[in-house]
């Protein structure tokens, strides 16, 4: 049943995400064309600007992913469709999991597109700024960096979206002022997660060991990178599981549809 639900969610989402991808490719194509026509003295700043555009398109895609996930969750499970959805012969966890897995799949595909675009950009351009970026991406870090980008960022997005689902579900257990209460619960949850992350030392390890101070000088021990990365992924998986269980509990036992 879970696979059928995932297929249903993918069919509902593919038009939106294909539109994001096409728009992203169009923006980056036009930017690359402008970069090729830039004067040599402006090439450094133009290349840096193009990379910023690539990352801006990434943020744009993930914001769209969040909006789609929140609206879809509200419509199917908390809105008018909730009465029908909760009568389906499947566990509530499958309904939640299908949406989370769909977001993760689209996140991985989006990051694969971004990595491909950056690879083409680096291979096509010849200037010192991009050479430094290429040296960083290909200087022994790729064995950790590429999987971290490809799977770690979508996992973080899925974890945060699951937290939003949990807070919405908790907020909708009240009879009045459910959206403001959901937002307040989300702020409290974010604060709690930040405390947990700092206590675990994940943020400090990533900032000081996974990402070097510059592209040319500092030696980073691979065991430290691997340990910090795995610890961060494990924490995200645990938080996702906890938020998933909280969402399932409220939807199954405390939901108050009007």
């Amino acid at each position: 049943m879970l696979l059928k639900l995932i297929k249903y969610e993918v069919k509902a989402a593919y038009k939106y995400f294909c539109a994001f991808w096409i728009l992203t490719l169009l923006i980056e194509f036009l930017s690359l064309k402008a970069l090729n026509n830039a004067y040599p003295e402006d090439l450094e700043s133009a290349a840096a600007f193009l990379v910023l555009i690539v990352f801006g398109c990434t943020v744009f895609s993930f914001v769209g992913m969040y909006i789609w996930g929140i609206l879809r969750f509200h419509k199917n499970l908390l809105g008018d469709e909730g009465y029908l959805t909760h009568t389906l012969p499947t566990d509530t966890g499958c309904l939640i999991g299908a949406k989370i897995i769909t977001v993760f799949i689209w996140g991985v595909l989006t990051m694969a597109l971004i990595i491909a675009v950056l690879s083409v950009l680096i291979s096509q351009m010849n200037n010192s700024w991009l050479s430094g970026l290429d040296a960083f991406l290909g200087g022994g870090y790729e064995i950790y960096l590429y999987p971290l980008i490809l799977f770690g960022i979508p996992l973080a997005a899925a974890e945060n979206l699951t937290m939003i689902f949990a807070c919405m579900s908790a907020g909708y257990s009240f009879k009045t002022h459910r959206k403001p209460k959901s937002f307040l619960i989300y702020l409290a949850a974010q604060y709690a997660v930040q405390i947990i992350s700092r206590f675990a030392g994940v943020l400090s390890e990533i900032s000081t060991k996974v990402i070097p101070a510059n592209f040319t000088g500092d030696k980073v021990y691979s065991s430290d990178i691997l340990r910090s990365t795995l610890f961060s992924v494990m924490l995200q998986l645990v938080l996702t599981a906890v938020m998933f269980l909280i969402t399932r509990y409220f939807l199954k036992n405390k939901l108050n549809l009007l």
Side-chain angles (χ1 to χ4, degrees):
M1 189 64 179
L2 178 60
L3 292 178
K4 291 183 179 179
L5 290 172
I6 293 174
K7 183 180 178 181
Y8 175 73
E9 295 293 339
V10 170
K11 287 179 65 177
Y14 83 94
K15 292 181 181 178
Y16 299 99
F17 289 108
C18 285
F20 279 119
W21 293 339
I22 292 172
L23 182 60
T24 298
L25 288 174
L26 180 62
I27 293 174
E28 290 163 358
F29 172 77
L30 293 176
S31 300
L32 183 59
K33 195 169 184 65
L35 182 59
N36 286 326
N37 296 328
Y39 292 108
E41 60 269 18
D42 298 328
L43 201 57
E44 296 290 323
S45 58
F49 180 70
L50 181 54
V51 172
L52 289 178
I53 289 178
V54 172
F55 286 108
C57 290
T58 307
V59 173
F60 175 69
S61 298
F62 274 90
V63 168
M65 188 186 306
Y66 276 115
I67 294 174
W68 176 87
I70 293 170
L71 293 178
R72 187 81 178 163
F73 181 80
H74 182 273
K75 178 182 178 182
N76 293 157
L77 296 172
L78 303 177
D80 294 337
E81 291 185 7
Y83 292 100
L84 179 61
T85 303
H86 290 290
T87 62
L88 292 175
T90 184
D91 186 77
T92 306
C94 290
L95 300 172
I96 306 165
K99 299 184 188 312
I100 297 170
I101 293 172
T102 301
V103 167
F104 178 76
I105 290 172
W106 287 119
V108 171
L109 294 176
T110 299
M111 294 314 303
L113 174 65
I114 296 301
I115 290 174
V117 168
L118 279 176
S119 300
V120 171
L121 171 63
I122 291 171
S123 64
Q124 292 294 320
M125 301 307 300
N126 183 23
N127 64 76
S128 59
W129 196 91
L130 288 176
S131 297
L133 180 62
D134 188 27
F136 173 63
L137 295 176
Y141 304 105
E142 69 277 2
I143 190 173
Y144 308 116
L145 185 63
Y146 287 148
L148 179 62
I149 294 175
L150 187 60
F151 298 105
I153 295 177
L155 177 60
E159 178 248 314
N160 196 32
L161 193 61
T162 309
M163 183 191 301
I164 295 175
F165 290 170
C167 297
M168 291 174 66
S169 302
Y172 272 71
S173 64
F174 297 95
K175 292 184 178 180
T176 60
H177 306 295
R178 294 181 296 179
K179 291 181 181 179
K181 288 176 181 177
S182 298
F183 180 70
L184 292 176
I185 294 171
Y186 175 74
L187 293 180
Q190 279 283 15
Y191 183 72
V193 168
Q194 290 296 323
I195 293 176
I196 294 172
S197 298
R198 286 172 184 162
F199 179 77
V202 175
L203 296 181
S204 62
E205 286 190 12
I206 291 177
S207 63
T208 57
K209 295 180 180 180
V210 173
I211 303 176
N214 53 63
F215 295 152
T216 58
D218 296 344
K219 181 178 180 180
V220 180
Y221 294 97
S222 60
S223 60
D224 292 337
I225 299 175
L226 182 60
R227 184 176 63 250
S228 298
T229 303
L230 291 177
F231 198 81
S232 176
V233 170
M234 288 175 61
L235 180 62
Q236 289 177 346
L237 289 172
V238 170
L239 289 174
T240 302
V242 170
M243 295 301 168
F244 171 83
L245 293 175
I246 292 174
T247 306
R248 182 179 180 274
Y249 170 78
F250 276 102
L251 288 181
K252 196 170 184 178
N253 302 294
K254 300 293 183 179
L255 184 61
N256 187 10
L257 291 176
L258 296 179

